[in-house]
Amino acid sequence: MSGPSPTRNPARRLAVAVAAALLVGACGSGGGPTSGGTTEVTVGVIPIVDVAPVYLGIKQGFFTAEGLDVKLETAQGGAAIVPGVVSGQYQFGFSNTTSLLLASSQGLPLEVVASGVASTGEQGEDFGGVIVRADSPIRSAADLAGKRVAVNTLKNINTTTVNQVVRDAGGDPSTIQYVELAFPDIVSAVAKGDVDAGQVVEPFLTIAASQDDRQVVSNYAGTDPGLTVGMYFASRSYTSQNPKAVASFTAAVNKSMEYATAHPDEARAILATYTKIDAAVQADLVLPKWPTTIDRGPVQRLADLAQQDGLITKQPNLDTLLP
Amino acid sequence: MTRRALVGLGLPVVLIALWWFLSAGSTSFFWPPLSAIVAAFPRTWTADPILHDVLPSIARLTAGYLIALAVGVAAGTAIGSYRTLRALCEPVLEFLRAIPPPVLIPVIALFAGYTGATTKIVTIALGCLWPILLNTVEGVRSLDEVLRDTARSYRLGRLTTLRQVVLRGSSPRIAAGARQALSIGVILMVISELFGADRGLGAAVVQFQRGFAIPQMWTGIILLGLLGVALSGLFRLVEHRTLAWYRGLRQAEREV
């Protein structure tokens, strides 16, 4: 069992093993080499625009060229993928940066292996932003103070970055009342007037724009022009035992991201294979940046914001988290 | 009575002891030692979360459950009393009953709003309604015809007949439905808070999980379990008092 080492007591060890197995469903194969010299790895991803390069890279054969046989498994979000990676069900996972910082701060042994997705750095032309109805009195980030704002996850990257752009604009973010809804429901709730504003990412920004909603602020770009919104990671036990597979994965992901950046039309086209995006929306949506390097500054900034908003009490160790 | 209480406590004590000792040396992040979970309890459930998470959740559960009880008993009595109405309603009831309330939450939200308590209360009420309604229909339908005739020949008023004969006669079935509805209500209380919520017991458990505060997450799960036990005890108390006549009747039948 690849996981934390239980104690020497056999009964206790059995109980912990059973418990862990119950908790995660099953233990993965651990990504051992298979016949033919390729290594099988399972990657936990969220079916959103952010991970398009990986789908594209598999299609282009970048992973096979590195000797990796990649199986993608979709999950709801980082909270579901992190336990999968820790238990060995997935060898690699994708998660937003704040979730990784929260997990590290709580002492989970995770290591980032590749950059994942970053802000375009352009206000109004980013892949995430805050939307309001066309007739809303909210004109700027400062107007969001005291309002009801929908986000897809409370106490995470979207609340800390919206708080930050409101703070920067001179508003008091502590008066914002956040409500949690799934992205499609956020667009409907804003249209219905149940919430005053909502934070969404592509393709929902484009869908909202087609319904005449206005973008008030790009919360990622406003927090940091080079904000690292998501990253690929593995458990520290896996990276120490399989340095070759990790190096191969990092190289293949980076190659995929370079390819996706150079061929945006192919990146758009691959979305149809794993999401249900309307063709018109697919052509219009703003693609994120897929940088191959991890800039430590924005990650530290997200950690500071998480601490400021009380999501974490102690700073995670970025030296062990980042490669 | 005390012996029964001791026996009832026996298994939980054994299970808790097992959990305590088997998990004592656990280094698994998602399966912390029970001692760590217990230690996290007072830190996690202070006055603020009890006031803003636990109590609103219980209030929404109570409201939804009582609405279901009122609507279920009223509609069930009407449907159970009139054969034509029953024939008309039966297929529709079966259809509606087969739809799990969780999938209806987004639909309910369209009418009742994405945020606030209304959608959550409607969701809980809708889920609790079916066992109460269907059991009431069965209870009223299976009433002895002789009882109804007797009530008629004694010229009991409609209201008296309804209260003393129909509702009383079907109350054991209604109670069985109400008991089923209670456990469904607790489940829906949690599920309804996964959508458009910011505070609540269910929402708190999910947020602990997402923030990787695992011992705190377990305290929330244990709290939900304790809430279930408390509600079940409360239900038993009410049932004990309202169905006293029924227990007496059964006792008398057994002694004959």
Side-chain angles (χ1 to χ4, degrees), chain B residues 3-74:
Chain B
R3 241 192 81 201
R4 264 190 56 200
L6 280 175
V7 171
L9 279 174
L11 186 60
V13 167
V14 170
L15 287 176
I16 290 167
L18 264 178
W19 186 1
W20 184 278
F21 288 111
L22 286 177
S23 69
S26 168
T27 49
S28 166
F29 185 84
F30 291 100
W31 200 257
L34 183 55
S35 52
I37 297 170
V38 171
F41 230 105
R43 279 187 289 121
T44 311
W45 301 102
T46 51
D48 175 72
I50 286 177
L51 208 62
H52 293 105
D53 290 320
V54 183
L55 292 179
S57 285
I58 294 175
R60 285 193 293 261
L61 172 64
T62 310
Y65 183 76
L66 292 179
I67 291 170
L69 200 60
V71 174
V73 171

Side-chain angles (χ1 to χ4, degrees), chain B residues 91-119:
Chain B
V92 180
L93 287 182
E94 290 302 331
F95 175 85
L96 290 171
R97 180 198 173 183
I99 303 169
V103 302
L104 286 178
I105 295 179
V107 184
I108 297 169
L110 277 175
F111 299 103
Y114 281 90
T115 59
T118 322
T119 296

